[in-house]
Amino acid sequence: MSEQMSDDDERQQSPPSDLDFTSNKARTCIVTGSVSGHTEFQSPYPDQVLENVLENVLHFLTSRRDRNTASLVCKSWYRVEALTRSELFIGNCYAVSPARATARFTRVRALHLKGRPRFADFNLMPPDWGAHFNPWVLAFAKACPWLEKVYLKRMSVTDDDLATLAESFLGFKELVLVCCDGFGTGGLSIFVSKCRKLKVLDLIESEVSDDETDWILCFPEGESHLESLIFDCVEYPINFEALERLVARSPSLKKLKLNRYVSIGQLYRLMVQAPQLTHLGTGSFSPSEIAGQGDQEPDYVTAFAACKSLVCLSGFREIIPDYLPAIYPICANLTSLNFSYANITAEQLKPIISNCHKLQVFWVLDSICDEGLQAVAATCKELRELRVFPVDAREDSDGPVSEVGFQAISEGCRKLQSILYFCQRMTNAAVIAMSRNCPDLVVFRLCIMGRHRPDHVTGEPMDDGFGAIVMNCKKLTRLAVSGLLTDKAFDYIGRYGKLVRTLSVAFAGDSDMALKYVLEGCPQLQKLEIRDSPFGDAALCSGLHHYYNMRFLWMSSCRLTYQGCQQIARAMPRLVVEVIRSADEEEMDVCVQTLYMYRSLEGPRNDAPKFVTIL
Amino acid sequence: MESGCSKKLLDLIPQEKKWGFIENQNGISHGSSEEKKLELKLGPPGEEDELLVSFGYFSSMKSNAKHAHNKFPPPQEDHRGGAVLAASWAKNHHHQPKPPNCSQKRTAPGPVVGWPPIRSFRKNLATTSKLASESPTSLPHKVANERNPAAPETRGKGLFVKINMDGVPIGRKVDLKAYDSYEKLSTAVGELFSGLLAAQRDPSADGPKQEEEKAITGVLDGNGEYTLVYEDNEGDRMLVGDVPWHMFVSTVKRLRVLKSSELSVINLGSSKKGKRVQN
């Protein structure tokens, strides 16, 4: 009882520091938990002192991996760690139930949940597969009402869930939804109107349905605590006047990312109100259609120049490149630039990029061609992350970028840690060069868009290139392969990819050996997603020793049979083995279309749709 | 039930030899001296073919890659898109029946679901963003005019079909609306590929060499080294030139330039003999 009272106090006032909270708890324990039933105050047991100390110390432990390790020391440490964990990360929402999570971790302030597997983003899974936020929000509403932050990735969130969030958690501060769906502007309206302490509302690459409600208008009047408002994925017009007023009364606003319904003229008005922004998504970056012919164009250059803290720039959803010079004043400060919606040429890029000396993160379309990449390589010596997306994402499109730009980047950007590169042509030589020039690579994702395409100069498979990457990039944890690949490539990965945690394979390999090499050779493997590769039941069996160490395995359009999957399911009781077929197929077939399996403490889930069979 | 599973595992291992290209390997060898053994070897034709048929459309490409050690890279482009074309190709090459195993079931024609792996909101960028063709310096006046829903650049008016050629890994595209007869098409095709072929004979060449360009002629009359064929909207392979030009344009889906020597092997027009209409 006394515990609950102190929690109530916390909710209504600003929360006390964790140290105060800890000592409250300790006193409570002593008063109520005495062996012989005494109720008067006694000097604490030695064990109790140790637990107090432990609580105070563990409070400083933030890494969840460290915390997991600490919790294994002994029961006392397990208990204390659970009490002091304030950020709860669950990489697969079906690995553990909400009830179990809230029972163990009672003082969580931040919840981070991931749902669907990544290949679901590419229509490889029928919709309504699962990953519902609803049971979680209900469980936490009851058990952890002081939850402040929720971060969801690939989950289905309903309008009701948003309402529950706003109503049940009085101090709620941050909501981040990445690749989520299931809600609309109606749910957003309720959410923003009731969350009086809201600091962060980030909608990133999520599908928001249009309920024709003006959710921007629903932000409460008076000074807002907003620090971050990201809604560039919302595909409907918003009430700009209401947004302008909201920005004007949000003095703490640092991050603002607009959708493509905000014109450049409107952007100007917002920037003038908020020169303190650090992260800006520019919206359409083109004028609205009703811009008068004779109207004076606002001074965009001055507006950008006034944003002295701007370090991250994105947007440009419908860019008119003539307006690009407006951003010249801030190029030198930029550490992150996202041009991945801007269909611009190398010539248009060069004047911008030649000033971006501090750039660390750069996302761009392949419309800049190899020449544009060469310009990037010439200037951006601090580049850590590069993503090159295709303008024309088809297998047989013309490829404006190739191994030429790729190699230029490797030679110019030696500190590169993460690369995602879509192209139509590649050579082993260029990939090998990158493996030598960029030894700090942690993430290497190369997508040669034509299936089974070899080195276009030698005609050889791409085995040696990827082999060099795993051999030379000793910090590599994430790898995505493509092009023509034989089992040899996978032998390399199994032999040298000792730190690889995430591996994506598509249209690759010749036989079961390939998958075996990986399952037997990569001890850190956590997430394995495979499509359209000739791996069968035997290969699947070769990973039995490792599956409990993995978050999940995805295999679609491979050569698995129902029986093979069933063997796995029988051998490993803590593994949930889901066989997924397309929504319109009625019966189970001998051949398995999609296998998705993951470790879980809960056994088969009870919300599986018809097209999912759990073995 | 672990023992049950490992028993099955042992059963599966002997069968595995049938699947893998690697012959007579004992377990996984991880020494650098054994790297050579890990290279793919040629199996006996029958064994390989059985495996390859089950791969569907990309099978014939692999066998070409193994057998050919010449300078011309095998035509790899067949498995981009047009799987219907290649499926009939594969069927025609290998006469063994498909084993009832779980090969990739979907030999769907055209684009494959979810490939390339781009999320849907990143697609269609060519239409939503503008290519700045002209850039006049005065902004306000030009703005109102440019802000139209972007008409597709040239593609709206042209009829682009893919064309691939034996021995050239990268396909090209031709705009059939630019020609009004078979002769013009044939000339254009000849010009399109002769430069590429010459560049391939010498891989170090940057562009088409002037000396070595061998004109590609006679693609329509069966006399030249190459012959032009096409795939129509029913998935059948036809000789170009058989039907009236306008009918050709309305039914053609893609083109291919084949070595004339290989023509006899191909079963043109599938089983519908009636399709070979005389002009």
Side-chain angles (χ1 to χ4, degrees):
Chain A
M1 272 302 290
S2 29
E3 250 183 72
Q4 274 186 339
M5 278 171 60
S6 58
D7 291 342
D8 282 345
D9 286 344
E10 191 194 330
R11 261 202 284 169
Q12 277 148 28
Q13 309 152 12
S14 54
S17 72
D18 271 302
L19 290 174
D20 290 342
F21 200 59
T22 303
S23 48
N24 277 343
K25 170 97 173 61
R27 257 185 271 130
T28 313
C29 282
I30 292 163
V31 170
T32 59
S34 169
V35 172
S36 51
H38 296 173
T39 49
E40 69 263 21
F41 189 81
Q42 287 195 341
S43 52
Y45 296 107
D47 284 350
Q48 200 61 57
V49 171
L50 194 60
E51 282 209 7
N52 289 357
V53 170
L54 202 54
E55 270 195 64
N56 291 336
V57 168
L58 285 186
H59 164 67
F60 292 101
L61 208 62
T62 46
S63 148
R64 67 174 190 264
R65 293 204 177 97
D66 290 346
R67 282 189 159 270
N68 291 344
T69 310
S71 70
L72 295 174
V73 168
C74 64
K75 274 198 173 152
S76 172
W77 280 54
Y78 178 92
R79 197 169 47 240
V80 174
E81 191 282 315
L83 287 171
T84 55
R85 191 179 298 219
S86 61
E87 279 191 39
L88 182 58
F89 171 88
I90 295 174
N92 175 3
C93 64
Y94 287 120
V96 64
S97 71
R100 193 186 291 259
T102 52
R104 177 174 169 187
F105 300 107
T106 51
R107 295 199 220 156
V108 164
R109 300 284 176 87
L111 174 64
H112 185 142
L113 272 179
K114 293 190 178 180
R116 288 182 285 274
R118 198 178 71 97
F119 273 7
D121 291 351
F122 313 120
N123 300 325
L124 289 182
M125 193 154 78
D128 306 319
W129 169 82
H132 303 289
F133 182 49
N134 183 258
W136 291 90
V137 72
L138 294 178
F140 272 80
K142 255 189 269 173
C144 293
W146 48 89
L147 191 68
E148 296 177 347
K149 305 183 196 183
V150 166
Y151 178 108
L152 303 178
K153 187 165 186 179
R154 292 195 188 95
M155 301 223 26
S156 288
V157 183
T158 63
D159 289 344
D160 285 340
D161 297 335
L162 291 176
T164 309
L165 265 183
E167 288 158 6
S168 311
F169 303 97
L170 296 187
F172 199 80
K173 297 202 173 89
E174 297 187 19
L175 179 63
V176 178
L177 300 178
V178 180
C179 299
C180 293
D181 62 8
F183 64 101
T185 51
L188 284 178
S189 303
I190 304 174
F191 178 76
V192 302
S193 67
K194 299 201 175 178
C195 261
R196 301 266 152 178
K197 303 239 174 111
L198 192 66
K199 287 191 184 175
V200 172
L201 176 59
D202 291 350
L203 305 172
I204 299 169
E205 295 181 6
S206 293
E207 242 183 78
V208 183
S209 64
D210 185 16
D211 307 328
E212 293 176 12
T213 353
D214 188 343
W215 59 283
I216 299 280
L217 198 57
C218 291
F219 277 91
E221 290 298 329
E223 184 166 297
S224 107
H225 302 276
L226 266 186
E227 295 174 10
S228 173
L229 180 62
I230 295 179
F231 63 94
D232 55 343
C233 61
V234 174
E235 287 291 304
Y236 311 106
I238 47 113
N239 179 339
F240 177 73
E241 281 67 35
L243 178 64
E244 200 176 6
R245 290 195 300 274
L246 177 63
V247 169
R249 65 179 191 278
S250 303
S252 310
L253 192 67
K254 291 284 193 289
K255 302 186 188 182
L256 179 64
K257 297 198 183 179
L258 309 164
N259 71 3
R260 61 185 181 91
Y261 287 88
V262 178
S263 71
I264 193 170
Q266 292 171 329
L267 170 68
Y268 174 83
R269 284 157 63 177
L270 294 174
M271 288 178 72
V272 163
Q273 301 271 14
Q276 77 280 9
L277 288 175
T278 58
H279 295 57
L280 176 64
T282 64
S284 67
F285 212 70
S286 54
S288 67
E289 299 192 12
I290 49 173
Q293 297 268 12
D295 283 356
Q296 188 81 20
E297 283 269 34
D299 188 354
Y300 297 116
V301 176
T302 303
F304 272 96
C307 293
K308 302 209 185 295
S309 312
L310 206 52
V311 290
C312 171
L313 195 58
S314 61
F316 309 102
R317 294 284 177 141
E318 289 171 359
I319 186 174
I320 302 270
D322 302 295
Y323 289 100
L324 265 180
I327 73 172
Y328 285 163
I330 45 127
C331 287
N333 297 334
L334 283 181
T335 55
S336 170
L337 178 57
N338 182 348
F339 269 155
S340 66
Y341 290 95
N343 196 336
I344 56 174
T345 64
E347 285 314 303
Q348 288 158 347
L349 175 70
K350 281 182 188 172
I352 308 282
I353 208 74
S354 59
N355 291 321
C356 294
H357 300 279
K358 289 194 192 165
L359 207 59
Q360 294 185 18
V361 175
F362 186 49
W363 292 21
V364 71
L365 286 175
D366 62 4
S367 58
I368 62 166
C369 301
D370 286 329
E371 196 188 331
L373 290 172
Q374 286 164 332
V376 174
T379 313
C380 304
K381 301 302 177 189
E382 298 296 318
L383 201 66
R384 304 284 196 271
E385 176 180 326
L386 174 68
R387 297 197 191 190
V388 180
F389 294 95
V391 168
D392 189 358
R394 289 177 301 153
E395 282 188 81
D396 49 3
S397 59
D398 298 326
V401 297
S402 69
E403 77 279 1
V404 172
F406 191 83
Q407 180 139 359
I409 291 288
S410 80
E411 286 162 7
C413 308
R414 299 296 176 114
K415 299 187 185 176
L416 202 63
Q417 292 172 0
S418 170
I419 185 162
L420 170 62
Y421 197 87
F422 283 87
C423 59
Q424 295 284 8
R425 312 189 287 294
M426 187 48 61
T427 62
N428 281 307
V431 179
I432 293 170
M434 180 165 285
S435 77
R436 295 207 183 109
N437 292 333
C438 305
D440 291 338
L441 276 174
V442 173
V443 173
F444 185 82
R445 299 159 70 191
L446 175 61
C447 183
I448 303 169
M449 290 193 276
R451 286 167 283 160
H452 314 292
R453 211 168 277 180
D455 178 323
H456 81 98
V457 167
T458 66
E460 297 277 314
M462 293 298 299
D463 297 339
D464 289 339
F466 285 102
I469 290 288
V470 284
M471 261 191 260
N472 297 334
C473 302
K474 312 252 192 279
K475 305 180 190 173
L476 196 77
T477 58
R478 182 170 180 184
L479 180 64
V481 301
S482 62
L484 180 64
L485 293 171
T486 70
D487 290 349
K488 189 159 100 157
F490 297 92
D491 181 35
Y492 285 139
I493 296 173
R495 264 199 254 174
Y496 300 105
K498 294 306 175 189
L499 296 184
V500 169
R501 291 205 297 263
T502 306
L503 180 62
S504 284
V505 178
F507 304 101
D510 299 313
S511 74
D512 283 356
M513 290 308 295
L515 183 53
K516 277 190 168 197
Y517 289 143
V518 169
L519 289 171
E520 288 171 3
C522 299
Q524 298 295 323
L525 196 62
Q526 299 266 294
K527 300 184 259 185
L528 182 55
E529 45 190 28
I530 303 172
R531 63 166 294 181
D532 293 274
S533 299
F535 309 141
D537 299 335
L540 198 60
C541 276
S542 66
L544 284 171
H545 67 287
H546 189 61
Y547 292 140
Y548 281 157
N549 296 331
M550 290 177 64
R551 190 182 296 173
F552 71 79
L553 168 67
W554 168 289
M555 287 177 70
S556 60
S557 302
C558 296
R559 304 175 78 192
L560 300 175
T561 68
Y562 193 87
Q563 272 174 308
C565 296
Q566 215 156 30
Q567 274 174 29
I568 305 287
R570 277 191 220 117
M572 309 199 73
R574 294 292 201 186
L575 217 55
V576 174
V577 179
E578 295 196 11
V579 171
I580 307 171
R581 54 188 178 279
S582 44
D584 48 8
E585 270 180 49
E586 290 292 326
E587 294 170 2
M588 283 301 309
D589 198 356
V590 170
C591 298
V592 163
Q593 171 67 19
T594 299
L595 166 73
Y596 178 56
M597 66 189 205
Y598 48 89
R599 64 183 171 190
S600 172
L601 295 174
E602 313 299 338
R605 58 188 174 111
N606 52 15
D607 62 355
K610 283 192 291 125
F611 51 82
V612 171
T613 306
I614 300 184
L615 301 179
Chain B
M1 294 305 288
E2 289 227 9
S3 55
C5 184
S6 47
K7 219 183 188 177
K8 292 263 171 67
L9 192 59
L10 288 174
D11 286 340
L12 283 169
I13 289 176
Q15 291 175 26
E16 199 191 327
K17 281 191 186 152
K18 207 164 58 166
W19 289 358
F21 278 125
I22 300 163
E23 297 177 339
N24 299 322
Q25 299 308 312
N26 297 319
I28 305 144
S29 43
H30 282 292
S32 55
S33 58
E34 287 163 314
E35 244 174 79
K36 277 195 185 160
K37 284 190 205 166
L38 292 168
E39 283 174 14
L40 294 167
K41 292 204 168 67
L42 302 178
E47 186 180 331
E48 224 178 75
D49 282 351
E50 186 187 327
L51 171 61
L52 292 175
V53 165
S54 66
F55 275 70
Y57 51 83
F58 55 86
S59 55
S60 54
M61 307 314 128
K62 293 259 173 87
S63 60
N64 282 343
K66 305 298 167 298
H67 290 110
H69 290 289
N70 53 24
K71 286 186 187 167
F72 299 99
Q76 297 288 350
E77 67 281 9
D78 260 355
H79 23 259
R80 282 188 285 155
V84 169
L85 168 70
S88 51
W89 172 273
K91 274 187 218 138
N92 297 324
H93 267 257
H94 309 286
H95 300 291
Q96 291 92 337
K98 252 195 204 184
N101 60 7
C102 290
S103 57
Q104 283 84 329
K105 273 170 78 173
R106 273 179 300 161
T107 50
V112 170
V113 173
W115 188 262
I118 301 275
R119 298 198 182 104
S120 49
F121 56 81
R122 282 199 183 278
K123 297 199 173 179
N124 305 318
L125 288 172
T127 49
T128 55
S129 56
K130 316 283 178 295
L131 284 171
S133 33
E134 325 83 40
S135 46
T137 46
S138 67
L139 299 172
H141 299 290
K142 134 181 154 39
V143 149
N145 295 331
E146 273 210 1
R147 197 79 166 81
N148 289 321
E153 305 87 48
T154 48
R155 307 208 166 179
K157 297 237 169 96
L159 177 63
F160 286 86
V161 291
K162 252 185 78 169
I163 177 164
N164 294 101
M165 178 164 178
D166 275 350
V168 178
I170 298 174
R172 309 298 299 271
K173 277 207 169 93
V174 287
D175 180 2
L176 291 180
K177 292 249 157 74
Y179 315 108
D180 58 3
S181 70
Y182 285 119
E183 284 70 36
K184 292 197 181 150
L185 174 64
S186 140
T187 314
V189 166
E191 284 167 11
L192 194 61
F193 281 112
S194 57
L196 277 179
L197 264 191
Q200 252 167 227
R201 286 195 189 102
D202 181 2
S204 60
D206 287 339
K209 284 185 141 188
Q210 295 306 319
E211 321 91 51
E212 283 291 321
E213 266 187 45
K214 192 171 140 190
I216 301 170
T217 54
V219 291
L220 293 176
D221 54 7
N223 292 336
E225 192 186 342
Y226 294 92
T227 303
L228 192 58
V229 300
Y230 73 101
E231 180 196 352
D232 69 5
N233 52 5
E234 297 187 8
D236 298 316
R237 181 171 280 186
M238 318 275 284
L239 268 184
V240 167
D242 276 351
V243 303
W245 172 257
H246 62 272
M247 194 188 297
F248 164 72
V249 169
S250 64
T251 59
V252 63
K253 285 295 165 231
R254 58 186 293 170
L255 289 161
R256 205 174 162 74
V257 181
L258 301 176
K259 279 189 147 58
S260 302
S261 50
E262 309 224 331
L263 263 185
S264 53
V265 183
I266 304 160
N267 196 4
L268 285 170
S270 77
S271 55
K272 298 180 199 150
K273 302 267 166 135
K275 287 203 94 182
R276 300 245 355 227
V277 175
Q278 292 307 308
N279 198 350

